Amino acid sequence: MVKPDLDLDDLHPSLADDDLLSMNFLSEVALRYPKAISFASGRPIDEHFDAADVHRWLDLFLAQENVDARSLFQYGPAKGVIAGHVARQLAVDEGIDVDPASIIVTVGAQEGLHLVLRALRRDEKDAVLAVTPTYVGLTGAARTMDLPVFGVSDGADGIDLDDLDLVVAQVRDKGLRPRALYLMPDFANPSGRSMGTATRHRLLAAAAAHGLLLIEDNPYGFFGPHRPTLKALDTGRQVVHVGTFAKTVLPGARVGFVVADQRVAGGALLADELAKLKSMVTVNTSTVAQAVIGGRLIEAGYRLREANAAQIAVYRRNRDQMLAGLARRITDPQITWNTPDGGFFLVVDVPFVVDDALLERAGREHGVLFTPMSYFLRGGRATSQMRLSFSRVSPDEIETGLDRLTALLSSGGARV
Amino acid sequence: MVKPDLDLDDLHPSLADDDLLSMNFLSEVALRYPKAISFASGRPIDEHFDAADVHRWLDLFLAQENVDARSLFQYGPAKGVIAGHVARQLAVDEGIDVDPASIIVTVGAQEGLHLVLRALRRDEKDAVLAVTPTYVGLTGAARTMDLPVFGVSDGADGIDLDDLDLVVAQVRDKGLRPRALYLMPDFANPSGRSMGTATRHRLLAAAAAHGLLLIEDNPYGFFGPHRPTLKALDTGRQVVHVGTFAKTVLPGARVGFVVADQRVAGGALLADELAKLKSMVTVNTSTVAQAVIGGRLIEAGYRLREANAAQIAVYRRNRDQMLAGLARRITDPQITWNTPDGGFFLVVDVPFVVDDALLERAGREHGVLFTPMSYFLRGGRATSQMRLSFSRVSPDEIETGLDRLTALLSSGGARV
């Protein structure tokens, strides 16, 4: 008989997954309490976004000798049209020296992660590891392709290398192949934590010993003290480096990239294999959007960190104000928080469960929002931590928001 | 021990797949013989692409009351920001009457297909059907997610409904669930074939009886006689309609959409489920690119077919010239071709095998390129057919290209 509509049970199981549902709950709460001050959103500041910049950058890109509108606005190569510009920026800003041929331009970092995971999942025996708590975009992407993710503790210095050894062994004992370890070494989302340079060297050695690729995701690297990226330290082509211009130029462009210089059979690079997959996901990244980013890089003389000086100062000011504001307001010794040296996020530990119910109450009764840390743990395991984002709040909002948060915290919650 | 690089055998098997490799071979031959006249590329004409249009469309979109650059250039909703504009255009141009809430804006039609297939593949028991020969983007996307595709013959009128019954039964006999049938009812890629209106009604009834969704891909609908799309005839929410602005505005914008008004558990629409998956693939479609397309739709008063009058005339002229040119040159009764009434493609049948070797020889010795029809068949089964695209060739190139093609055909090939 006619059965035109669908049961959720008949669709891919990721659609009933906690990781996807919890993020939906957060968006829904934010919509329900539009006047709440949000320490939940990790969006970049946007006061300076200006259509005139977008027009100028597009024209700058088109003014290059080898570019004309007719070919630019056609279908483009799967690897993109600004890999050379990205390579120059990485060399200038990060000391990452790579051939543009090893770069694929993607629809934000998210598509980059998606392609890397897709390439590495040969079959149901493959698994990836991720420093935990971890970015939901990684676990969510893995979930949509039935790829298991195993957590590695982040320890005090961004990764617990003993735990890495243990998890690799456990995954192998299950008959699975650990293919890669995903991490954000700088000002991680959600922990705010960064990895010391010595630990980076040790991690590279450990990854080599385990035959693991490292998937380095670097959205926040500009926004704090500059440490060498894993890719800059990588002498053995063990690091797949994922970047984005969402935080440093415009989120709306949706332009990111992957540096994948690993050699595959027959002289191809991993970037070429990712491009084959990309041709079946999005064909190519919008060349209009690539041109906007390319023009921005040209205008900045490829010194994009320097071009972000004003934004960097805002995020630093916000962090300082958040830390001072918490210290001034909170006297309960059971409530503690970390002190990230950069990025968009910090983590508060409270003596009760931080869950969707608390978030709902925070929105309804106190007009303040945060992200429960459970969202960043597989299976949404309950914790007593919240992530506070300070990237897109004004000084006034920070003070008012912290007043409201303090009121919420004083009102308590379900004891742990 | 250190093993930083990768074996192709360790990567997803789609990367060693014939479908992906053959398209790569075509691109490579095109690069090797840049002076060859290409009847291979299905790109739209681009003489009229102009940066001034892009600037103007972006400004037109930004001039709307409810839009400002600050929010437009931020992260946007996964479903997109121009669904309302797309809905108006579909109503005006196609008589498709849908709530904008059932539309998700995607990175071209390709991401739309990707999301639909991903949603429908619950597990290894799911399969899709596709009218054969079929678009490589469909089979390629299915391959990257280990989803089997079963071909249904296109017959004389765009689908052989007896074969559909047979294939559904065969797939069920294998213990698989046929979830959907993919097709391009109008001026199909690669066959050029269109489906009569009566057959569309019969197909809707057959799909209802089989409990199959229809995935209607409509990139070429404007470029020939206007028949009602399956979605316009759909009274039972059985059609998922995939569209793109690549051929009607700019390929470089990479903006397409899916109309997915099917109801899922709890009042959600399939479009909402696709949006959850999209958030793990590309987060959202570039809002810069969406604004360009949105502005184009506003400028056209949502009459995009009318706005494409000049392009429609070029494609019609090219088709007429191709058909007349073939008729004038080819006297061998063993060489025949079809007569599509629109679109970008026609198919030539020759009395020898059309394979990569012939394509290579065509490029090298004759300076002309085409697409072997084997590319559009699962497993690259050899055939004696070639697809000729006439979308992006000038009148002179058509004449010279047909002279060269005739010379190739006269020189023969491996007899079937």
Side-chain angles (χ1 to χ4, degrees):
Chain A
M1 272 315 296
V2 180
K3 184 176 166 296
D5 287 0
L6 296 157
D7 289 331
L8 196 53
D9 284 351
D10 285 335
L11 301 181
H12 191 266
S14 62
L15 289 168
D17 193 74
D18 281 344
D19 292 350
L20 287 173
L21 295 180
S22 62
M23 291 310 283
N24 266 31
F25 182 78
L26 176 56
S27 313
E28 193 200 300
V29 169
L31 282 174
R32 215 153 2 115
Y33 305 110
K35 289 185 178 162
I37 288 174
S38 179
F39 294 132
S41 155
R43 294 178 170 203
I45 46 174
D46 51 28
E47 289 88 350
H48 60 292
F49 292 173
D50 188 344
D53 288 336
V54 172
H55 289 300
R56 192 177 66 255
W57 295 333
L58 181 58
D59 283 337
L60 260 172
F61 190 81
L62 279 161
Q64 294 173 99
E65 256 179 41
N66 58 340
V67 176
D68 71 282
R70 207 179 139 179
S71 60
L72 180 65
F73 297 141
Q74 259 295 358
Y75 286 98
K79 285 172 83 173
V81 297
I82 60 167
H85 298 281
V86 174
R88 287 184 69 173
Q89 185 261 318
L90 287 173
V92 168
D93 278 334
E94 303 289 356
I96 294 176
D97 184 24
V98 287
D99 185 333
S102 65
I103 295 174
I104 172 171
V105 181
T106 54
V107 181
Q110 186 64 36
E111 192 195 22
L113 293 175
H114 184 96
L115 297 174
V116 172
L117 295 183
R118 175 73 292 175
L120 292 180
R121 186 187 186 277
R122 185 180 74 178
D123 58 42
E124 68 290 346
K125 290 206 173 305
D126 293 298
V128 294
L129 315 183
V131 170
T132 297
T134 195
Y135 171 54
V136 289
L138 185 278
T139 42
R143 193 77 188 83
T144 65
M145 56 188 81
D146 308 304
L147 175 66
V149 179
F150 293 88
V152 175
S153 171
D154 64 350
D157 198 35
I159 188 162
D160 178 338
L161 290 171
D162 293 333
D163 197 45
L164 175 63
D165 292 346
L166 199 68
V167 173
V168 167
Q170 284 170 344
V171 171
R172 293 219 163 103
D173 281 351
K174 287 177 200 278
L176 300 176
R177 287 185 295 260
R179 300 300 302 273
L181 170 69
Y182 169 84
L183 74 166
M184 284 188 201
D186 291 286
F187 325 116
N189 179 6
S191 71
R193 203 159 270 174
S194 295
M195 186 178 291
T197 304
T199 302
R200 292 174 195 233
H201 285 286
R202 282 197 293 274
L203 173 59
L204 283 162
H210 287 305
L212 274 182
L213 286 174
L214 297 173
I215 304 173
E216 176 180 54
D217 191 3
N218 186 36
Y220 308 108
F222 283 3
F223 308 119
H226 188 191
R227 300 177 185 90
T229 61
L230 290 168
K231 191 66 201 168
L233 302 173
D234 181 28
T235 54
R237 296 188 300 277
Q238 275 181 282
V239 179
V240 174
H241 182 88
V242 179
T244 176
F245 298 102
K247 277 79 182 178
T248 56
V249 185
L250 283 183
R254 301 299 306 132
V255 176
F257 59 90
V258 181
V259 180
D261 58 356
Q262 288 69 29
R263 293 180 196 152
V264 189
L269 298 165
L270 180 57
D272 298 309
E273 304 298 331
L274 299 179
K276 285 191 219 166
L277 291 172
K278 182 174 168 68
S279 69
M280 298 303 164
V281 180
T282 59
V283 180
N284 61 258
T285 302
S286 165
T287 49
V288 176
Q290 288 187 74
V292 168
I293 299 299
R296 203 308 163 239
L297 294 175
I298 293 167
E299 184 176 87
Y302 305 97
R303 294 185 299 278
L304 192 58
R305 186 186 295 267
E306 202 175 296
N308 270 268
Q311 288 92 308
I312 291 167
V314 169
Y315 298 130
R316 191 191 304 124
R317 180 202 70 196
N318 286 2
R319 186 207 53 155
D320 293 347
Q321 194 185 339
M322 287 287 284
L323 291 169
L326 284 167
R328 204 163 53 241
R329 285 173 180 83
I330 295 180
T331 50
D332 182 345
Q334 291 193 90
I335 299 176
T336 58
W337 54 90
N338 67 350
T339 306
D341 63 357
F344 283 16
F345 310 107
L346 60 80
V347 177
V348 180
D349 276 86
V350 298
F352 43 81
V353 173
V354 177
D355 55 10
D356 283 350
L358 187 74
L359 174 61
E360 215 284 331
R361 184 152 67 85
R364 189 181 64 242
E365 295 179 12
H366 297 279
V368 66
L369 299 175
F370 53 83
T371 313
M373 282 293 277
S374 55
Y375 290 12
F376 307 101
L377 299 166
R378 285 294 294 157
R381 189 160 45 80
T383 75
S384 55
Q385 295 187 315
M386 53 181 64
R387 184 193 78 174
L388 300 186
S389 166
F390 47 80
S391 57
R392 191 159 157 271
V393 271
S394 69
D396 282 354
E397 287 170 332
I398 289 175
E399 295 306 325
T400 309
L402 287 180
D403 286 344
R404 296 175 181 185
L405 185 74
T406 311
L408 171 76
L409 296 182
S410 313
S411 76
R415 293 285 140 179
V416 180
Chain B
M1 274 312 296
V2 181
K3 184 176 166 294
D5 287 2
L6 297 157
D7 289 331
L8 197 54
D9 284 350
D10 285 335
L11 301 180
H12 191 265
S14 62
L15 289 167
D17 193 76
D18 281 344
D19 292 349
L20 288 172
L21 295 179
S22 61
M23 291 310 283
N24 266 32
F25 181 78
L26 176 56
S27 313
E28 192 200 301
V29 169
L31 283 174
R32 219 157 354 118
Y33 305 108
K35 290 187 179 161
I37 288 174
S38 179
F39 294 132
S41 156
R43 296 179 167 200
I45 47 173
D46 51 28
E47 288 87 349
H48 60 293
F49 291 174
D50 187 344
D53 288 335
V54 172
H55 288 301
R56 193 178 65 255
W57 295 334
L58 181 58
D59 284 337
L60 259 174
F61 190 81
L62 279 161
Q64 293 174 98
E65 256 178 43
N66 59 340
V67 175
D68 72 282
R70 207 179 140 181
S71 60
L72 180 65
F73 298 141
Q74 259 293 359
Y75 286 99
K79 285 170 83 175
V81 296
I82 59 167
H85 298 281
V86 174
R88 286 183 70 172
Q89 185 260 318
L90 287 173
V92 168
D93 278 334
E94 304 289 357
I96 295 175
D97 184 25
V98 287
D99 186 333
S102 65
I103 295 176
I104 173 171
V105 182
T106 55
V107 182
Q110 186 65 35
E111 191 194 22
L113 293 176
H114 184 94
L115 297 174
V116 173
L117 296 183
R118 173 74 294 173
L120 293 180
R121 186 189 185 277
R122 186 179 74 178
D123 58 41
E124 69 288 346
K125 291 208 174 305
D126 292 298
V128 294
L129 315 183
V131 170
T132 297
T134 195
Y135 172 53
V136 289
L138 184 279
T139 43
R143 193 78 187 84
T144 65
M145 54 190 82
D146 307 306
L147 175 65
V149 179
F150 293 88
V152 174
S153 171
D154 63 351
D157 197 36
I159 188 162
D160 178 337
L161 290 170
D162 293 333
D163 196 46
L164 175 63
D165 292 345
L166 197 70
V167 173
V168 167
Q170 284 170 344
V171 170
R172 294 219 162 103
D173 281 351
K174 286 177 200 282
L176 299 176
R177 286 185 296 262
R179 301 299 302 272
L181 169 69
Y182 168 86
L183 75 165
M184 283 188 202
D186 291 285
F187 325 116
N189 179 6
S191 70
R193 201 160 273 175
S194 295
M195 186 178 291
T197 303
T199 303
R200 291 174 196 232
H201 285 287
R202 281 197 294 272
L203 172 60
L204 282 161
H210 288 306
L212 276 181
L213 287 174
L214 297 174
I215 305 173
E216 176 179 53
D217 191 1
N218 186 34
Y220 308 108
F222 284 3
F223 308 119
H226 187 192
R227 299 176 185 91
T229 61
L230 290 168
K231 191 67 198 166
L233 301 175
D234 181 28
T235 55
R237 296 188 301 276
Q238 273 181 285
V239 178
V240 175
H241 182 89
V242 180
T244 176
F245 298 102
K247 276 77 180 180
T248 55
V249 186
L250 282 182
R254 302 297 308 129
V255 176
F257 60 90
V258 181
V259 180
D261 58 357
Q262 287 70 29
R263 293 181 196 151
V264 188
L269 298 165
L270 180 58
D272 298 309
E273 304 298 329
L274 300 180
K276 286 193 218 163
L277 291 172
K278 181 173 169 69
S279 70
M280 298 303 164
V281 180
T282 59
V283 181
N284 61 259
T285 302
S286 166
T287 48
V288 177
Q290 287 186 75
V292 168
I293 298 300
R296 202 311 161 232
L297 294 175
I298 293 167
E299 185 176 86
Y302 305 96
R303 295 186 297 278
L304 192 57
R305 185 187 294 266
E306 200 176 298
N308 270 268
Q311 290 91 309
I312 291 168
V314 169
Y315 298 131
R316 191 189 305 126
R317 179 202 70 198
N318 285 2
R319 185 205 56 154
D320 292 347
Q321 194 185 339
M322 286 288 283
L323 291 170
L326 284 166
R328 204 163 53 242
R329 285 171 179 85
I330 295 180
T331 50
D332 181 345
Q334 291 194 88
I335 300 177
T336 59
W337 54 91
N338 67 351
T339 306
D341 62 358
F344 283 16
F345 310 107
L346 61 81
V347 177
V348 179
D349 276 85
V350 299
F352 44 81
V353 173
V354 177
D355 56 10
D356 283 351
L358 186 75
L359 174 61
E360 215 285 332
R361 185 152 67 83
R364 189 180 67 243
E365 295 180 12
H366 298 278
V368 66
L369 300 175
F370 53 82
T371 312
M373 282 292 278
S374 55
Y375 290 11
F376 306 100
L377 299 165
R378 284 295 294 158
R381 187 161 46 82
T383 74
S384 55
Q385 294 187 315
M386 53 180 65
R387 185 194 76 175
L388 301 187
S389 166
F390 47 80
S391 57
R392 195 162 155 267
V393 272
S394 67
D396 282 354
E397 285 169 333
I398 289 176
E399 295 305 322
T400 310
L402 287 180
D403 285 345
R404 293 175 182 184
L405 186 75
T406 310
L408 170 76
L409 296 181
S410 311
S411 76
R415 292 285 140 180
V416 180

